Amino acid sequence: MESLESRTLGHSGITVGALGFGCWAIGGEWQDTAGNPLGWGAVDDEESVAAIRRAIELGVTFFDTADAYGTGHSERVLGRAVRGRRDEVVIATKWGIVCDEATKTLTGTDDTPAYARRALTASLRRLDTDHIDLYQLHLSDAALDRATELRDLCEEFVREGLIRAYAWSTDDAERAALFAEGAHCAAVQHACNVLEDAPEMFALCADRDLASVNRSPLAMGLLAGRSGGGARGVSEAGRDIRTVPPAWLRWFGEGGVPAPEWAARVDSVRDVLTSDGRTLAQGALAWLWARSPHTVPIPGFRSVAQAEENAGALAYGPLRDSQMKEIHDLLAA
């Protein structure tokens, strides 16, 4: 097992801490064209900045955002938080989703090479940086022929010094493998947590020497909640994506109530995950570190306290083999 002190993003030479932070939640409120929420509720930008800076103090050096999160707001907040400390952090962002910043609305997608260059230029401006460390295609089901064009374009971006490496945010191993054929592809971002394993992706990462950047490592708060199946921080105001969950968000029902079958699964493994003094969230992160030496989980956060709890998982390290087997057996039952 690779030390939890660091991970290397594939064969890029880019070193990050074993834990990254996902910046979707700090983007604030945004919506689809029907008015359904796509953010995690209202945010306090001062708290977000303080949380990022506290995370850096605690050894978190990798921050994952996207131009879509808060229709650009997440990138702006992250750029502000790391101003003057850019050389201490590794920034990942994404492109492909088109938004209207004025109305904070997702309006569509664009997989053309011309748009990719415009999106990169805009992200560099919002992040107040001259390069992106890991640039990721945000369209999980883009066609393979177009993805080949975009992979080759990312190689151009590397040659121009605009990005250092690139990846695809997708749960499809065939698509991830296509991007991995590029010389500077360093990772795949995919969903994975203790409730839903991703064996194909882990096999691909091992075979191609890719970092496994794990989104939804806490099942969007379900693996960070209270006993009885509650979730961390679901907004009571109703402008939280979990309160009006889209079809892909299986862990929650209307109103942000955890789906009973998923809450039951969490409760079945809670005692194992919280053993050795860990919180539930810390145990879920420890499961991912034990699952593969390539993993870099990116839990979300909206406060200094959440940043401290997530970063606190580093001190405990991965779960033991016996704990991993116990969790496997409990979920199989």
Side-chain angles (χ1 to χ4, degrees):
M1 174 68 66
E2 186 178 349
S3 169
L4 279 187
E5 292 302 314
S6 67
R7 293 281 198 269
T8 300
L9 298 182
H11 43 272
S12 67
I14 300 171
T15 301
V16 300
L19 179 69
F21 272 17
C23 299
W24 179 7
I26 65 168
E29 296 181 72
W30 53 302
Q31 62 188 4
D32 64 19
T33 52
N36 296 314
L38 294 173
W40 294 54
V43 289
D44 178 339
D45 290 346
E46 298 305 318
E47 183 74 7
S48 299
V49 168
I52 291 167
R53 292 175 178 168
R54 179 61 174 144
I56 296 170
E57 291 174 0
L58 295 172
V60 176
T61 59
F62 180 60
F63 295 90
D64 173 86
T65 185
D67 57 2
Y69 298 161
T71 65
H73 191 67
S74 175
E75 288 185 330
R76 294 184 194 281
V77 171
L78 178 59
R80 176 186 158 198
V82 303
R83 192 168 297 140
R85 309 183 70 172
R86 178 65 180 91
D87 60 348
E88 298 177 44
V89 300
V90 173
I91 293 177
T93 193
K94 311 179 194 74
W95 92 94
I97 295 175
V98 182
C99 297
D100 181 340
E101 275 197 69
T103 61
K104 290 197 170 293
T105 302
L106 184 156
T107 57
T109 61
D110 193 330
D111 66 358
T112 62
Y115 178 74
R117 186 172 287 278
R118 293 199 304 274
L120 175 57
T121 300
S123 286
L124 290 169
R125 184 180 65 251
R126 284 189 292 263
L127 286 160
D128 192 21
T129 185
D130 62 359
H131 71 280
I132 303 296
D133 298 295
L134 186 69
Y135 200 41
Q136 302 162 107
L137 177 58
H138 208 171
L139 304 177
S140 62
D141 58 353
L144 295 177
D145 56 348
R146 179 48 61 84
T148 301
E149 287 185 73
L150 294 174
R151 181 195 66 203
D152 295 344
L153 178 63
C154 284
E155 289 291 337
E156 288 185 30
F157 291 157
V158 173
R159 288 192 291 273
E160 293 171 24
L162 299 174
I163 68 173
R164 296 174 68 192
Y166 57 89
W168 195 341
S169 179
T170 181
D171 295 323
D172 184 299
E174 180 184 9
R175 285 176 164 83
L178 177 71
F179 249 43
E181 292 173 9
H184 292 88
C185 181
V188 55
Q189 181 170 146
H190 63 94
C192 189
N193 56 60
V194 66
L195 304 176
E196 294 191 283
D197 202 353
E200 275 192 284
M201 285 300 193
F202 289 130
L204 176 69
C205 290
D207 182 60
R208 303 292 185 91
D209 187 22
L210 299 172
S212 164
V213 179
N214 311 129
R215 75 179 116 80
S216 300
L218 305 181
M220 295 183 69
L222 188 62
L223 283 161
R226 305 173 302 276
S227 180
R232 176 202 273 178
V234 176
S235 171
E236 295 179 2
R239 300 305 297 165
D240 185 319
I241 190 172
R242 294 169 292 181
T243 64
V244 190
W248 59 264
L249 212 177
R250 300 181 298 281
W251 303 310
F252 295 90
E254 291 296 321
V257 177
E261 64 272 25
W262 291 104
R265 294 183 200 189
V266 174
D267 285 339
S268 73
V269 297
R270 184 182 298 273
D271 287 348
V272 185
L273 291 175
T274 57
S275 59
D276 303 325
R278 295 179 177 91
T279 66
L280 181 61
Q282 291 168 347
L285 297 172
W287 182 89
L288 281 162
W289 289 324
R291 182 63 182 82
S292 164
H294 297 271
T295 53
V296 184
I298 49 169
F301 65 99
R302 283 196 291 181
S303 67
V304 171
Q306 288 178 358
E308 290 176 339
E309 179 183 356
N310 291 341
L314 289 163
Y316 292 98
L319 294 180
R320 299 186 300 274
D321 289 345
S322 60
Q323 292 170 316
M324 293 293 283
K325 183 181 186 305
E326 186 175 359
I327 287 169
H328 177 273
D329 292 347
L330 287 166
L331 291 174

